[in-house]
Amino acid sequence: MKFALVTGGSRGIGRAVCLQLADMGYNILINYKANEKEANNTKILIEEKGLLAEIIQFDVADRAQVQTVLTAWIETNTDKTIEVLVNNAGIREDALMMWMKDEQWDNVLNTSLGGFFAVTRVVVNSMLMKKYGRIINIVSLSGLKGLPGQTNYSAAKAGVIGATKALAQEIGRKGITVNAVAPGFIKTDMTGDLNEAELKNIIPLKRFGLPEEVAHTVGFLASKGAAYITGEVISVNGGLYS
Ligand code: NDP
């Protein structure tokens, strides 16, 4: 049975990615950190499509917890294979650098960059044995361009972009592709505090994007048709950055 693991699959872009991959025939392993209710809602939506959905709770920033929980799942589910991994879990804790607290720096780096490392390190082993896999990392315009007030977030996402390119070269010969998707402003809880009416003026397409629009690109990278794309970053940002 083929599964896709989506970190932060309880809400926002992660939920849309879960549904997109289910539409492509994947059973889904939904990870979340705290919001069990929303993880359950994602599960129900997947099951309505006739696919299997399992919830796996862990904090991607907690390396030991990731190792224990994910390894246990892999060892007890020998009939199931994680063929697609989407490293989506991420947080924002914006502050100007001169006022940034240690926790703001650490939390953001440990979640996006640390989470990528902790989860991928475990999952890639079984992909290497199967000689097939798709790893897709959700990064950000902020990691490409840098955004003021987000030195922590820009650093975390730029770090994941570098790791994407390095890992793609390490494991390409084993039939595993590693790519990143860099959204601009997408309508989710994460951007709920931003003023779309004002910010849309700087976006060529004059609106925020939808989680489903990011999920379609993830779906493409997870598809067989994307077999010759690796180490790439695809922007989904309404033309905001070029
Ligand atoms: P949301 O805030 O809507 O959802 C975040 C998701 O990540 C939730 O499912 C949350 O779980 C999960 N999560 C957060 N921290 C952890 C953790 N430590 N361990 C496990 N899961 C965790 O965010 P978005 O959907 O907007 O963002 C998804 C990704 O896209 C992030 O990586 C973000 O940086 C990136 N992105 C988003 C943009 C946007 O405009 N929205 C733009 C560019 C990039 P729970 O529900 O349990 O809290």
Side-chain angles (χ1 to χ4, degrees), residues 5-7 31 58-68 70-71 74 82-89 110-129 132-139 159-172 176-180 230:
L5 166 60
V6 181
T7 68
N31 160 258
F58 54 77
D59 176 352
V60 298
D62 183 338
R63 214 174 279 168
Q65 192 185 33
V66 172
Q67 184 78 29
T68 307
L70 205 44
T71 305
I74 291 169
I82 300 175
E83 200 172 272
V84 177
L85 165 63
V86 183
N87 286 303
N88 164 77
N110 291 345
T111 303
S112 278
L113 187 56
F116 158 81
F117 174 61
V119 176
T120 308
R121 185 172 57 167
V122 176
V123 174
V124 79
N125 272 322
S126 42
M127 289 181 174
L128 288 168
M129 286 197 291
Y132 184 84
R134 294 275 193 267
I135 299 170
I136 298 141
N137 303 317
I138 308 301
V139 293
V160 176
I161 290 170
T164 299
K165 294 179 179 185
L167 185 62
Q169 293 174 61
E170 277 183 29
I171 61 179
I176 305 166
T177 64
V178 190
N179 291 290
T230 197

Side-chain angles (χ1 to χ4, degrees), residues 1-5 26-29 73-74 77-85 123 125-133:
M1 270 189 286
K2 292 175 181 176
F3 270 76
L5 166 60
Y26 280 104
N27 302 301
I28 309 292
L29 199 45
W73 188 90
I74 291 169
N77 290 280
T78 47
D79 56 331
K80 298 170 185 166
T81 312
I82 300 175
E83 200 172 272
V84 177
L85 165 63
V123 174
N125 272 322
S126 42
M127 289 181 174
L128 288 168
M129 286 197 291
K130 300 272 178 196
K131 294 193 169 55
Y132 184 84

